[in-house]
Amino acid sequence: MARKPRANEVATRNAYLDYLESLETRATDEICGVWYNALGAAKHAAGELSQWDMFSRPWHHVARYASEELAEWFARNGRMTYTEFREAEREFSREQFDMYANAE
């Protein structure tokens, strides 16, 4: 039987999805809808690739199908994996805890 996710795991996953959505919105505005290279466009036309995939799939997958515009956008703006996001959130939480725990 699979373990039920803890509330903080669910909250972190939801925060990560919000982060990906914000990236997608920003990218959409900046790359003028040029998401895919020729191979990516063919996959998209066949229903095998979506804009969401370009944010949620591993980088090696994205790099294979991304337009030059999107690849440059990621180079400028970054793209955290879930693991990186979770670690950044934990580090932020530790810093916040330390700040309040040491306040007088």
Side-chain angles (χ1 to χ4, degrees):
M1 180 179 211
R3 171 179 78 77
K4 185 177 178 182
R6 294 182 183 145
N8 63 333
E9 292 170 337
V10 171
T12 297
R13 176 60 69 177
N14 288 338
Y16 181 67
L17 293 174
D18 289 344
Y19 161 75
L20 291 181
E21 278 187 33
S22 72
L23 285 185
E24 183 182 15
T25 299
R26 287 178 37 221
T28 298
D29 293 342
E30 294 179 33
I31 66 170
C32 302
V34 183
W35 290 95
Y36 314 107
N37 60 21
L39 183 58
K43 289 273 198 186
H44 178 70
E48 299 171 6
L49 187 66
S50 71
Q51 287 175 211
W52 185 252
D53 291 331
M54 303 307 277
F55 292 88
S56 60
R57 304 277 308 264
W59 176 249
H60 70 273
H61 176 86
V62 174
R64 183 173 183 193
Y65 302 117
S67 67
E68 195 173 313
E69 293 85 348
L70 183 58
E72 289 173 2
W73 190 89
F74 280 130
R76 284 191 315 273
N77 296 284
R79 176 182 181 269
M80 280 194 279
T81 64
Y82 176 70
T83 300
E84 292 167 336
F85 184 88
R86 188 180 63 220
E87 289 304 313
E89 184 178 65
R90 286 180 181 163
E91 183 60 32
F92 177 77
S93 294
R94 278 190 290 268
E95 289 173 6
Q96 291 297 308
F97 176 80
D98 289 344
M99 184 176 74
Y100 289 110
N102 296 321
E104 291 190 37

